[in-house]
Amino acid sequence: MKRTPVVFIHGVWLHARCWESWAARFTSMGFLALAPGWPGEARTAPDVRASPEPLGRVGLDALTEHYAGIVRSFDVAPVIVGHSVGGLIAQHLLAADVGRAAVAIAPAPINDVPLPASPGRLLPPGRCGPAEELVTLSPEQFHQVFAHTLGAEESDRLYDRYAVPAPRRLLADLGCAGAPRSPRAVADVGNAGRGPLLLISGQEDRLVPDEATRAVYKQYGDTTAVTDLKQFADRGHSLVVDGGWRFVADYVLGWLDEHGIRAHPPQG
């Protein structure tokens, strides 16, 4: 019997392994769970930190095409679950009728929704740097912007296992530090024929504030396609990897079931 694929897309400053608990949980519920890394991403976060240069070539165009190819490769249309820039890509693909449904968790803003100031503050001084430059967070910065709702010990553990540098090219494509936002940082909010979309925010998120996700939700206000918003109180940008990840994952599983998206699609 065929299983419904779920493709997980991670965001900036995290490795694809950040989805390991989610993939195990979705697999245990019968889904075909996959968390493919970015182009050039090494097997583990420590491997990436040791040799990060291949990530420097990754921009939003390449990233979007990479995951579009993966999603289109299945016989059964996948669910797309994305965090941060992965949430932006999930919306872009779903709006282009690629994928069956999408979940965008603390997504980088789409269209003309203003970009939060936080990511730009993390860039090195000056707007113009080498296109392939990498922007690395220190453990202290990671705790400050990603994991400030956690204790230092948990934040450091997450940093060691999952944190990787981010491509300046990609941050520029998102509009950081005043750069012009890429044409790929869009989603057709008026597409009434697309699959269901769930937007999720952490109300204490410093990197993608709750207000930014609410502003994105309002952009979908005129469509008849299913668009839902779930806000998690007291949660920061680390909500997909910290000790409370299971609450978020199980909410997503319940939402999918509510909309008739189950591990084994009807045969016929």
Side-chain angles (χ1 to χ4, degrees), residues 7-147:
V7 175
F8 295 98
I9 307 176
H10 70 87
V12 291
W13 288 301
L14 287 181
H15 187 272
R17 188 170 279 187
C18 69
W19 294 114
E20 59 188 343
S21 296
W22 286 68
R25 178 67 177 143
F26 275 67
T27 298
S28 74
M29 300 301 291
F31 289 92
L32 178 62
L34 303 99
W38 291 5
E41 186 174 320
R43 191 176 61 87
T44 69
D47 290 339
V48 173
R49 293 196 296 266
S51 299
E53 294 78 14
L55 282 188
R57 297 189 285 272
V58 176
L60 192 56
D61 272 353
L63 208 52
T64 302
E65 287 305 314
H66 175 69
Y67 284 104
I70 291 169
V71 172
R72 288 190 177 108
S73 69
F74 295 96
D75 293 335
V76 176
V79 174
I80 310 169
V81 179
H83 175 239
S84 184
V85 69
L88 185 157
I89 292 170
Q91 292 176 79
H92 176 89
L93 294 180
L94 186 70
D97 298 316
V98 180
R100 180 175 178 186
V103 179
I105 305 171
I110 58 167
N111 301 343
D112 59 352
V113 174
L115 188 75
S118 299
R121 295 195 191 107
L122 297 170
L123 290 171
R127 295 181 181 178
C128 297
E132 296 185 2
E133 181 182 357
L134 291 155
V135 180
T136 301
L137 298 185
S138 67
E140 294 74 23
Q141 287 173 314
F142 183 85
H143 190 200
Q144 234 180 8
V145 300
F146 252 82

Side-chain angles (χ1 to χ4, degrees), residues 225-256:
V226 171
T227 311
D228 294 324
L229 172 67
K230 171 62 178 177
Q231 298 160 284
F232 283 90
D234 305 319
R235 302 298 297 279
H237 204 65
S238 64
L239 77 172
V240 297
V241 290
D242 60 35
W245 71 268
R246 177 77 174 263
F247 294 104
V248 185
D250 282 355
Y251 184 90
V252 171
L253 284 165
W255 179 84
L256 291 172

